Amino acid sequence: MSGVGPVEPGEGTRAWDTDEPGAPPPPRRLRERLARWYALHRRAALTTATAAVLLAGGGYLYATRPQEPPPPAAPYPAQVVDVTYLEQVATPMGVRPRTFSFAVVLSVASGPPVTVTRIAQPYAGVAVTSAPQAPFPTKAGSSRKIVVTMRVTDCGKTPKSAGLPFLDVTLRNTRAIQVQSYILGARYAQDLSEALQVACSNDTR
């Protein structure tokens, strides 16, 4: 007597062939899905890796590119400026007594323009003005004539004979501000001494 029970799948049949909701997919479909998922994520991973390699390579090339040498620094103003004495000149009209004037030439050899911000001298009893009036600029490769006018304010504080007189000139360019003392030579010393003697000739010291 044959028993009665559930029908077993026959040869060549698959127990998972069903359309019931929630049934697990067959192995072949599962493998296909896994293959598609891997292919998609593999392409994304390769794309990301390629971008990272290119970015790193570009950064390396940028970091190791030939560097342009920096431009040379501007020279200090005192290194490129020269002041030369010319002669004693007529004093401008309308100035006070005990006043005399000299002409000098200021030259700038190179670099950026140099501005004269102040002209002074070492004697406490002598005041100084200039034409042009400071501050004034001078370009590289050019010269400027300056008339320096001195007025004796106190004969007791001026020398009877100027031995090595000099002018203190404050210079400024894009590199620095410097005060440079220019000794203008024997002719300037003689002319200044004579001018001081004339200015103080009627003074009782």
Side-chain angles (χ1 to χ4, degrees):
M1 179 178 174
S2 60
V4 178
V7 179
E8 297 293 335
E11 185 178 352
T13 65
R14 294 178 294 181
W16 46 80
D17 284 343
T18 177
D19 293 331
E20 294 182 6
R28 182 177 180 181
R29 293 181 184 176
L30 183 60
R31 287 195 299 270
E32 290 175 353
R33 291 182 183 179
L34 290 174
R36 286 196 298 270
W37 182 90
Y38 176 76
L40 289 174
H41 286 74
R42 182 172 178 271
R43 286 196 293 269
L46 288 176
T47 301
T48 303
T50 302
V53 170
L54 291 176
L55 182 61
Y60 174 78
L61 291 176
Y62 179 80
T64 58
R65 75 192 189 283
Q67 298 291 331
E68 293 292 333
Y76 286 98
Q79 295 175 332
V80 295
V81 171
D82 186 44
V83 177
T84 304
Y85 177 65
L86 290 179
E87 60 186 348
Q88 188 170 2
V89 297
T91 303
M93 298 292 293
V95 297
R96 298 179 183 181
R98 295 180 175 175
T99 302
F100 46 89
S101 299
F102 303 99
V104 299
V105 172
L106 182 142
S107 303
V108 179
S110 60
V114 175
T115 297
V116 173
T117 62
R118 184 172 181 265
I119 298 177
Q121 53 77 48
Y123 306 127
V126 179
V128 176
T129 58
S130 68
Q133 184 177 357
F136 56 86
T138 304
K139 295 181 179 180
S142 64
S143 300
R144 182 186 290 269
K145 181 179 178 179
I146 305 169
V147 175
V148 179
T149 298
M150 300 185 182
R151 181 172 63 88
V152 177
T153 59
D154 187 344
C155 287
K157 296 181 180 179
T158 60
K160 293 182 179 180
S161 178
L164 288 174
F166 56 86
L167 287 180
D168 285 329
V169 184
T170 304
L171 307 168
R172 183 187 71 215
N173 68 359
T174 56
R175 177 72 179 273
I177 298 176
Q178 293 180 297
V179 179
Q180 183 74 1
S181 296
Y182 293 94
I183 298 176
L184 302 181
R187 282 199 310 114
Y188 173 67
Q190 181 178 352
D191 289 348
L192 178 60
S193 296
E194 292 177 356
L196 291 172
Q197 291 171 11
V198 170
C200 295
S201 59
N202 296 325
D203 185 73
T204 56
R205 301 199 227 186

